[in-house]
Amino acid sequence: MLDTTMPATRAATDADHADHADDPSLVRAAVAGDTGAYERIYRRHSPRVYAVLWRLCGGHAARAEDALQETFLQAWRALPGFRFDSSLGTWLHRLGVNAALMELRGSATREASEAGDDGWELLAAVPSVDRCAGTTLDLERALETLPPRARAVLVLHDIEGWKHHEIAEQLQMAVGSSKAQLHRARGLLRARLGEPA
């Protein structure tokens, strides 16, 4: 079972890439029915996938774990069609983000109907983040306070490196809205961290 108490870091080292050199052979073995090979794929890639899911889900471990389980169930079903056009890690990562965004779309629809427009009014009720001057934990806590769509845009753009057109397509919004959400999210994040605008 994956230890989800602390999300993995995003950066992959050269050693990580070298460790993943046998991914194609693991994929072929898993497709042929070798569950041990699939378990190795899971153990190798789930920490990084979980880290982005955890951030997209606002630090809610149970929601991130559900999205992770859905990701690897989808991957198991789709693995026979994997064409190696990208790395296995990139493909799994994209499946994970899509699973989290499906949840986000559902929660955004509920929040929009309850709070109107973008749900920015909810921020007034969010308590300020306890800070110890710039720690990673402070950033993670501040991310949790952002509205889900704003958090998703910020995580996907600034942490995961997605382009606005990709974000807009996945979140079903205009590119301009993605840019506006990013601008607002950054401002809210700076305010939560006590930084000047």
Side-chain angles (χ1 to χ4, degrees), residues 10-180:
R10 175 179 174 266
T13 64
D14 291 338
D16 291 334
H17 292 297
D19 289 345
H20 297 223
D22 66 336
D23 278 350
S25 61
L26 287 175
V27 167
R28 285 189 275 285
V31 168
D34 182 347
T35 56
Y38 193 70
E39 183 178 343
R40 285 185 59 201
I41 290 170
Y42 175 84
R43 290 188 184 284
R44 177 177 292 172
H45 294 281
S46 62
R48 183 170 183 270
V49 173
Y50 177 80
V52 74
L53 298 178
W54 185 83
R55 287 182 180 93
L56 285 171
C57 293
H60 297 163
R63 288 172 65 188
E65 289 167 11
D66 287 347
L68 184 69
Q69 182 179 16
E70 180 62 27
T71 299
F72 279 90
L73 285 173
Q74 287 179 17
W76 178 253
R77 290 184 208 117
L79 206 56
F82 180 62
R83 295 183 302 251
F84 301 97
D85 293 337
S86 63
S87 73
L88 179 62
T90 299
W91 182 72
L92 289 168
H93 185 82
R94 179 68 74 160
L95 286 176
V97 168
N98 288 338
L101 291 178
M102 291 299 289
E103 169 61 28
L104 177 64
R105 281 188 208 120
S107 65
T109 302
R110 287 188 301 275
E111 287 177 14
S113 67
E114 294 171 6
D117 290 339
D118 293 331
W120 291 99
E121 302 87 10
L122 295 174
L123 279 179
V126 175
S128 63
V129 177
D130 293 331
R131 351 179 224 288
C132 297
T135 66
T136 300
L137 185 56
D138 294 333
L139 178 59
E140 297 294 350
R141 286 182 183 158
L143 276 172
E144 292 171 22
T145 69
L146 296 176
R149 288 174 71 82
R151 181 176 56 245
V153 172
L154 183 89
V155 168
L156 292 175
H157 187 274
D158 288 358
I159 297 175
E160 297 303 316
W162 286 32
K163 305 292 183 210
H164 281 291
H165 70 275
E166 296 171 313
I167 296 168
E169 180 181 325
Q170 287 299 319
L171 293 179
Q172 299 177 342
M173 65 171 61
V175 171
S177 295
S178 175
K179 291 178 180 179

